[in-house]
DNA sequence: TTGTGTTTTATTGCCTCC
DNA sequence: GGAGGCAATAAAACACAA
């Protein structure tokens, strides 16, 4: 009896211990998100790898993915509902929504069939370019590439296009990452035996019946996008704006417009726009996200990865801040993978015509995404101390093949970004612009859907951004890291920053206000 | 500073598939 | 029956407003 009681108490203790929520570090979240973007249903192996890489348990990873899917589902549902109300012809979105909604993993094999999952297809097609922390790890291990193959199936056109684009740019670690998995003909070799096997699998349950149909729909949409991107140009932020309305026939016009409006690159060269200022809502989110993340960067650079979750002191504090912003963004971040990435890529490249800008952005992102891994790579420069904290992290394995360039950059960056300010500044700009575009779309939608609630959130973010902006501004004035300066040059970033001004009540350039207005109006109605 | 609302994390139960 | 997943729930961590 006593023994049992004791045992029970022990269990309870341990339960409590486990029960005690422990927030994942931004790095971990980033890693998870990135991986999630590519693999909604990671295999056990993947999970294991990811868990190891992130310093989490498989259970945690599984749980996280589960919740993440739920979250996605929930968002999609909301979106679908809202879309349904607003536009009946939003077949695409609805399709997505339905796909997600029904994509439930009733079948445990979904993970294996993710190739067929519209969601996956889409995310993969557009996200393959995205950087996945896990990818790095997996890349080295040649584990997963299934997704891409699946992608080729349904969205080979757009996806390949994107890949090509990205590949050509060749500067993007993300791209490189994905490209690494590609065979000379761009086909993805089954790296993982399991994957290969999986590929042979046919979807079961819902996917079995609807997979192809949905894929077709998704593919169609993707193709539409792909064409737009391809033919109409890379300026997703700018030109994509009008496309969605047409492509989606109205329903998305609002959201899309909004999203783009947020990141509207139309004001790239506006001198009036302060780089430190950003738009409140969406941008601020990511802005904050990255900014903070970068603050984590310091964390990343300085830290954290190693401390992935030792959850102690130093990192915890930094994490806390980063998390706050992170949390708010993750939702969107995960969901908007493709838009953000693509848009960012295109925008940077085309808009500025400066690969460097593009690269810088990427690098930045890499830094973030790599949060987990990136940190490691960064750590090589001087974060060893942090890594020491986490024995799970193997610095030697941190650098994925093909990431030499960006890693180097990152390292360099981390070099001068040692100072928190510099970090903030740097991060505040780049990422925002990059991810924001894609994310903004969804965010805008969410705004619409959730109305006040979202507004509140946005406001919250804005506040955070404001706080950051102040910090950033100060930092900028006092110190600007070379890389950062470069980033600052980027008009898009400046625009984004501009939003901050708006939020803070500072004067807003007419051009930007228009954006804002458009954004607002679209979101409102 | 406190209360409230939101988000994230952890746990548990159930379902489906093999 | 085991594995994987979803859904529901509880609780912690945050953010914001009063």
């Amino acid at each position: 009896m006593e023994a049992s009681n004791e045992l029970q108490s022990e269990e309870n203790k341990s339960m409590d211990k486990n029960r005690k929520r422990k927030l994942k570090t931004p790095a971990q979240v980033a890693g998870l998100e990135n991986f999630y973007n590519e693999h909604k249903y990671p295999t056990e192996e993947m999970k294991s790898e990811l868990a190891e890489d992130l310093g989490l348990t498989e259970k945690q990873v599984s749980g996280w993915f589960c919740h993440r899917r739920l979250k996605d589902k929930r968002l999609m549902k909301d979106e679908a509902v809202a879309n349904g109300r607003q536009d009946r012809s939003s077949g695409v979105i609805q399709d997505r929504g339905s796909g997600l909604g029904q994509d439930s993993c009733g079948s445990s094999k979904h993970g294996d069939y993710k190739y067929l999952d519209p969601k996956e297809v889409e995310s993969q097609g557009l996200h393959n370019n995205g950087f996945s922390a896990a990818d790095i790890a997996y890349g080295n291990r040649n584990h997963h590439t299934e997704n891409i193959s699946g992608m080729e199936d349904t969205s080979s056109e757009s996806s390949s296009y994107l890949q090509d684009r990205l590949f050509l740019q060749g500067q993007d670690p993300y791209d490189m990452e994905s490209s690494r998995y590609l065979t000379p003909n761009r086909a993805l070799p089954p790296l993982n035996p399991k994957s290969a096997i999986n590929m042979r699998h046919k979807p079961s349950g819902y996917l079995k019946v609807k997979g192809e149909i949905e894929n077709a729909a998704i593919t169609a949409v993707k193709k539409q996008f792909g064409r737009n991107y391809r033919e109409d140009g890379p300026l997703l932020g700018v030109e994509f704006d009008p496309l969605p309305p047409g492509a989606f026939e109205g329903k998305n016009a609002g959201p899309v417009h909004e999203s783009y409006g947020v990141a509207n690159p139309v004001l790239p060269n506006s001198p009036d726009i302060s780089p430190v200022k950003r738009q409140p809502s969406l941008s601020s989110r990511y802005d904050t996200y990255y900014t903070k993340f970068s603050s984590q960067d310091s964390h990343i650079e300085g830290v954290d990865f190693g401390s992935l979750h030792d959850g102690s002191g130093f990192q915890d504090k930094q994490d806390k801040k980063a998390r706050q912003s992170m949390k708010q963004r993750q939702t969107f971040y995960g969901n908007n993978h493709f838009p953000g990435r693509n848009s960012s890529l295109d925008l940077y490249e085309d808009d500025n015509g400066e690969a460097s800008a593009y690269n810088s952005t990427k690098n930045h992102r890499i830094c973030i995404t790599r949060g987990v891994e990136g940190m490691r790579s960064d750590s090589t420069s001087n974060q060893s101390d942090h890594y020491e904290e986490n024995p799970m992290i193997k610095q030697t394995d941190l650098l994925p093949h093909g990431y030499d360039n960006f890693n180097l950059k990152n390292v360099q960056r981390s070099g001068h970004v040692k100072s928190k300010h510099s970090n903030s500044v740097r991060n505040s700009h780049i990422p925002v612009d990059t991810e924001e575009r894609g994310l903004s779309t969804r965010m805008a939608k969410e705004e619409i859907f959730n109305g006040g609630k979202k507004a509140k959130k946005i406001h919250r973010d804005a506040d955070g951004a404001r706080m950051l902006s102040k910090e950033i501004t100060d930092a900028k004035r006092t110190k600007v890291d070379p890389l950062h300066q470069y980033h600052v040059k980027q008009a898009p970033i400046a625009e984004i920053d501009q939003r901050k001004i708006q939020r803070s009540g500072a004067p807003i350039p007419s051009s930007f206000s228009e954006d804002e207005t458009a954004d607002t109006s679209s979101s409102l109605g």
Side-chain angles (χ1 to χ4, degrees):
Chain A
M1 192 64 165
E2 282 186 351
S4 65
N5 284 339
E6 223 174 7
L7 233 159
Q8 193 131 28
S9 63
E10 273 298 319
E11 277 186 4
N12 288 335
K13 278 183 182 176
S14 105
M15 275 280 277
D16 285 343
K17 198 174 181 180
N18 292 330
R19 183 85 182 176
K20 184 77 172 178
R21 264 190 69 212
K22 197 171 181 182
L23 290 179
K24 290 170 178 59
T25 67
Q28 288 172 327
V29 174
L32 288 167
E33 287 284 352
N34 285 325
F35 199 84
Y36 176 78
N37 288 340
E38 307 230 357
H39 303 279
K40 301 285 188 286
Y41 295 86
T43 64
E44 201 174 345
E45 193 175 355
M46 288 176 178
K47 288 178 190 172
S48 181
E49 296 274 5
L50 187 59
E52 187 178 350
D53 288 341
L54 299 180
L56 298 170
T57 65
E58 285 185 54
K59 196 175 179 181
Q60 282 179 305
V61 172
S62 293
W64 187 90
F65 271 87
C66 184
H67 290 121
R68 189 65 184 70
R69 286 191 292 269
L70 289 174
K71 185 177 167 186
D72 245 1
K73 202 172 173 180
R74 210 167 47 234
L75 290 175
M76 284 306 220
K77 208 173 178 179
D78 292 343
E79 205 170 305
V81 172
N83 287 337
R85 292 174 188 165
Q86 294 187 349
D87 186 355
R88 289 167 272 172
S89 60
S90 60
V92 176
I93 297 296
Q94 287 180 346
D95 227 18
R96 280 182 64 194
S98 64
L100 288 172
Q102 296 180 43
D103 176 30
S104 67
C105 301
S107 168
S108 61
K109 298 306 166 192
H110 283 213
D112 295 342
Y113 309 128
K114 60 177 171 287
Y115 317 99
L116 300 176
D117 182 346
K119 221 182 356 178
E120 279 299 318
V121 172
E122 192 164 348
S123 68
Q124 286 168 8
L126 297 172
H127 281 288
N128 273 329
N129 303 317
F131 172 86
S132 165
D135 277 353
I136 297 170
Y138 285 105
N140 290 333
R141 302 180 184 102
N142 285 337
H143 276 235
H144 71 295
T145 10
E146 325 97 87
N147 56 333
I148 298 175
S149 50
M151 169 186 77
E152 295 213 342
D153 245 353
T154 57
S155 60
S156 57
E157 187 178 350
S158 61
S159 61
S160 65
Y161 162 68
L162 290 172
Q163 286 181 359
D164 287 344
R165 263 182 78 81
L166 297 174
F167 203 95
L168 287 174
Q169 290 175 358
Q171 306 268 1
D172 185 357
Y174 289 85
D175 300 343
M176 292 175 75
E177 179 63 25
S178 25
S179 64
R180 275 194 294 132
Y181 301 114
L182 299 174
T183 62
N185 15 331
R186 299 283 153 83
L188 291 171
L191 304 178
N192 190 340
K194 207 171 177 179
S195 303
I197 294 170
N198 290 338
M199 291 178 73
R200 285 194 287 269
H201 280 285
K202 292 290 179 184
S204 62
Y206 165 71
L207 290 178
K208 195 184 285 180
V209 177
K210 299 195 69 175
E212 290 181 67
I213 297 171
E214 296 239 343
N215 281 339
I218 298 294
T219 301
V221 175
K222 289 178 67 176
K223 284 186 177 181
Q224 280 187 319
F225 278 110
R227 280 195 206 102
N228 289 333
Y229 294 149
R230 193 183 307 175
E231 296 176 3
D232 292 341
L235 296 179
L236 286 177
V238 179
E239 305 205 350
F240 183 67
D241 190 357
L243 291 174
F248 295 94
E249 296 215 335
K251 148 191 173 186
N252 293 326
V256 174
H257 184 65
E258 226 182 288
S259 61
Y260 287 96
V262 172
N264 187 355
V266 176
L267 316 163
N269 297 323
S270 176
D272 295 335
I273 298 169
S274 166
V276 184
K277 296 152 189 174
R278 307 162 199 161
Q279 234 168 15
S281 58
L282 308 180
S283 61
S284 64
R285 285 190 180 184
Y286 286 92
D287 197 14
T288 312
Y289 168 83
Y290 286 105
T291 303
K292 294 209 169 180
F293 201 70
S294 52
S295 65
Q296 257 197 26
D297 218 353
S298 46
H299 157 84
I300 288 172
E301 303 169 349
V303 189
D304 65 44
F305 195 18
S307 43
L308 278 180
H309 44 143
D310 49 8
S312 53
F314 176 61
Q315 190 203 349
D316 268 356
K317 286 193 174 180
Q318 285 197 331
D319 280 349
K320 275 191 179 178
K321 279 209 167 188
R323 277 180 196 149
Q324 293 179 4
S325 55
M326 271 284 283
K327 277 205 231 167
Q328 296 176 351
R329 285 154 200 83
Q330 282 170 12
T331 302
F332 305 95
Y333 180 82
N335 293 329
N336 293 312
H337 0 40
F338 60 94
R341 287 179 184 173
N342 285 331
S343 63
S344 66
L345 295 177
D346 291 341
L347 177 69
Y348 272 78
E349 187 189 28
D350 294 327
D351 191 14
N352 297 317
E354 294 180 2
S356 52
Y358 169 85
N359 290 338
S360 62
T361 302
K362 298 256 178 162
N363 286 334
H364 183 68
R365 207 166 72 195
I366 290 162
C367 229
I368 296 163
T369 25
R370 282 205 108 219
V372 178
E373 260 118 69
M375 293 174 184
R376 298 177 187 176
S377 61
D378 285 350
S379 69
T380 52
S381 62
N382 52 20
Q383 314 313 341
S384 57
D385 51 335
H386 296 295
Y387 288 107
E388 289 174 0
E389 290 181 30
N390 191 338
M392 303 208 54
I393 295 167
K394 302 157 268 180
Q395 292 186 38
T396 52
D397 295 335
L398 302 179
L399 298 175
H401 305 301
Y403 282 86
D404 296 343
N405 291 335
F406 84 80
N407 281 333
L408 178 59
K409 286 181 181 181
N410 285 339
V411 173
Q412 288 179 335
R413 249 216 256 120
S414 17
H416 25 246
V417 190
K418 272 292 175 182
S419 95
K420 186 177 180 181
H421 289 306
S422 63
N423 280 341
S424 301
V425 175
R426 173 190 48 166
N427 291 309
S428 66
H429 300 291
I430 304 143
V432 178
D433 185 36
T434 324
E435 297 271 328
E436 191 176 358
R437 280 195 186 127
L439 298 174
S440 62
T441 302
R442 186 188 192 89
M443 292 165 79
K445 285 183 181 178
E446 291 208 356
E447 276 188 65
I448 296 172
F449 304 151
N450 297 315
K453 188 173 169 184
K454 292 297 173 185
K456 189 177 179 183
K457 282 179 64 178
I458 292 168
H459 184 64
R460 203 187 292 172
D461 291 338
D463 287 344
R466 263 177 271 163
M467 291 190 292
L468 278 171
S469 69
K470 186 175 187 297
E471 205 177 321
I472 294 166
T473 304
D474 291 340
K476 276 188 165 186
R477 288 172 183 169
T478 57
K479 178 180 179 178
V480 179
D481 98 30
L483 287 175
H484 181 248
Q485 282 183 325
Y486 191 74
H487 298 314
V488 174
K489 280 188 191 175
Q490 307 314 311
I493 294 165
E495 298 170 12
I496 293 167
D497 290 340
Q498 168 90 26
R499 298 168 196 165
K500 275 198 171 183
I501 290 183
Q502 286 184 315
R503 274 289 177 193
S504 58
I508 304 161
S510 59
S511 59
F512 191 84
S513 71
E514 274 186 15
D515 257 359
E516 174 85 351
T517 304
D519 197 43
T520 306
S521 63
S522 63
S523 63
L524 291 177

